[in-house]
Amino acid sequence: RNVPCENETKIHLGWCLIDPKTVEKTLPMLTELGVHKITFIHCRRSQQNFRLDFERFERIMESSIMQCGRTSLIELAESPALGTFLDENPDSVILDFCDNVLQHGEKMETVVIGCEGGFDASERKLFSAHRVRSLKSPMILRSETAAVAVISMSL
């Protein structure tokens, strides 16, 4: 069977940079969930010594698509700063702590997830023109858990 197997919704994850080893563990789940693109964002609280190995990430995704039946790899990109990313993706929904809870199936094409420690005050000032949502959970989630949860809710 040579029919493409992809999600109808092309979700773009703006993911503030975390430890690449954690990204490697999470990539198979994001591949299976049908994420179209991941842009790794260098945020104020991201550790600056992390180096992304896109070739390694692609090998991990290739193994994952063989198991789940997906027919394409997640597109990978990098952004130097959150402000740059938001300028390039003005319709982004931002996951942060607030009173506006993300609803299951809420329409979003691009979602931004913070790194460990979350966003700093200067980054939060950039959010005024964007939808900011939280998850309906009293727990503070790790970045990778939040990414999987938000993508799952968008399906």
Side-chain angles (χ1 to χ4, degrees), residues 4 9-10 15 31 39 45 51-52 61 63-64 73 76 79 83 87 91 109 114 121 129 137 142 146:
T9 305
K10 294 199 178 301
W15 199 1
T31 300
T39 301
R45 292 189 174 149
R51 298 291 170 251
L52 300 171
M61 289 186 291
S63 294
S64 183
L73 298 177
L76 301 175
S79 180
D87 287 345
D91 295 330
E109 293 178 13
S137 172
R142 291 176 295 163

Side-chain angles (χ1 to χ4, degrees), residues 4-128:
C5 182
E6 302 292 330
N7 276 350
E8 288 180 27
T9 305
K10 294 199 178 301
I11 191 91
H12 178 190
L13 175 61
W15 199 1
C16 293
L17 193 57
I18 61 171
D19 187 335
K21 291 184 185 336
T22 303
V23 172
E24 291 173 7
K25 292 176 188 171
T26 311
L27 268 177
M29 289 180 274
L30 297 174
T31 300
E32 292 168 16
L33 289 169
V35 171
H36 175 71
K37 180 177 182 178
I38 300 173
T39 301
F40 296 97
I41 306 166
H42 294 267
C43 293
R44 308 263 306 175
R45 292 189 174 149
S46 295
Q47 290 188 22
Q48 302 306 315
N49 61 335
F50 290 144
R51 298 291 170 251
L52 300 171
D53 184 348
F54 282 8
E55 288 179 12
R56 180 166 170 73
F57 292 172
E58 287 177 5
R59 288 192 303 273
I60 291 167
M61 289 186 291
E62 285 168 357
S63 294
S64 183
I65 66 173
M66 284 191 249
Q67 293 177 343
C68 73
R70 180 177 174 161
T71 51
S72 71
L73 298 177
I74 297 172
E75 182 182 335
L76 301 175
E78 218 172 331
S79 180
L82 183 59
T84 304
F85 181 84
L86 293 174
D87 287 345
E88 294 170 355
N89 298 277
D91 295 330
S92 295
V93 174
I94 298 152
L95 187 70
D96 198 14
F97 301 101
C98 68
D99 293 330
N100 298 319
V101 174
L102 180 68
Q103 300 301 310
H104 186 76
E106 185 172 336
K107 177 111 174 83
M108 60 181 163
E109 293 178 13
T110 302
V111 62
V112 177
I113 307 290
C115 59
E116 278 79 14
F119 302 105
D120 77 0
S122 67
E123 290 170 329
R124 283 194 171 96
K125 288 179 183 176
L126 303 171
F127 298 171
S128 62

